[in-house]
Amino acid sequence: MLVPPAIGESRQHGVHVHDVAEMTLVLDQRDLEIEFFGPAMSIVGFERQAQSTAEIEAVTKAQAALENGKNVFAFIGTQCVMRGVTVDVSAVWDGAAVDHGERAAQGSHAETHETHEKHEKHEKHEESHGDISAHYVFRCAEDDSPLVLRVGTNDLPFGLEKINAKWVTDSGQGASQLSTGNSQLTLR
């Protein structure tokens, strides 16, 4: 069983390359778990805590897209139903709107100091590379039909160029690099 990162925990996977995501799949009979990690820069356009309304909208839009498994995956050959999803965008948004201008305008030294500390925290976070992750659980039909997973609807999601995929099934394991012209994995 795959274990999603703890809420608020940002995970780093190997070399962080923009436009390249990682995906791990485990198929145990009918149960399919998928863990997806993508660079925040590729998914929302930045790698620090969202500060503006436009950045917050980009994060909530990406989160909604990831939560709807149909936006990310299509199954060919057999039917799989999503039974759960967990999306972690904490590398770029803690869920609270940030309003630096209004707090500083109030003139309180404590509030100004707090705003300065937030800016320092954002600057330190900008130096690191953040990932956005999603953990999916699917239940697939019980049959011997081939199970082919296509990632993305027409192209890879979020304009990604590549996805490094690793998988384990009852019959073996493998790895593949998905791209716009090659976005399918055959799992059984």
Side-chain angles (χ1 to χ4, degrees):
M1 173 195 249
L2 296 172
V3 179
I7 299 299
E9 175 187 335
S10 167
R11 292 178 85 174
Q12 298 295 328
H13 294 274
V15 177
H16 180 90
V17 180
H18 295 170
D19 300 325
V20 179
E22 294 183 36
M23 188 170 66
T24 304
L25 304 94
V26 176
L27 177 62
D28 183 13
Q29 297 179 13
R30 297 177 52 199
D31 297 319
L32 174 63
E33 291 191 52
I34 302 173
E35 204 165 273
F36 172 86
F37 297 92
M41 178 62 79
S42 301
I43 296 174
V44 296
F46 54 92
E47 293 185 318
R48 57 177 159 61
Q49 287 290 306
Q51 298 175 21
S52 69
T53 301
E55 289 173 343
I56 292 169
E57 287 175 8
V59 174
T60 57
K61 183 177 178 181
Q63 183 174 5
L66 286 167
E67 286 174 347
N68 182 352
K70 292 178 185 177
N71 290 334
V72 184
F73 306 110
F75 293 95
I76 303 165
T78 195
Q79 173 127 7
C80 296
V81 176
M82 190 167 73
R83 298 177 60 90
V85 61
T86 304
V87 176
D88 182 4
V89 295
S90 63
V92 291
W93 189 40
D94 63 8
V98 179
D99 187 359
H100 297 289
E102 188 176 309
R103 292 178 72 98
Q106 293 174 354
S108 164
H109 175 70
E111 289 171 344
T112 302
H113 181 69
E114 181 181 323
T115 300
H116 179 70
E117 286 178 352
K118 283 183 181 180
H119 279 291
E120 284 181 354
K121 181 179 176 183
H122 292 310
E123 288 170 8
K124 285 181 184 177
H125 195 74
E126 284 177 2
E127 295 171 7
S128 67
H129 296 288
D131 288 336
I132 291 176
S133 66
H135 178 250
Y136 300 90
V137 178
F138 292 92
R139 172 61 62 100
C140 299
E142 190 170 8
D143 58 27
D144 292 329
S145 301
L147 174 55
V148 179
L149 174 72
R150 185 179 72 224
V151 182
T153 51
N154 296 320
D155 293 325
L156 293 178
F158 306 106
L160 291 167
E161 293 177 10
K162 296 177 185 171
I163 298 177
N164 296 319
K166 298 175 192 170
W167 67 91
V168 176
T169 69
D170 297 331
S171 60
Q173 61 186 6
S176 182
Q177 189 172 73
L178 304 178
S179 62
T180 299
N182 177 32
S183 64
Q184 294 185 40
L185 292 173
T186 301
L187 298 175
R188 79 171 172 217

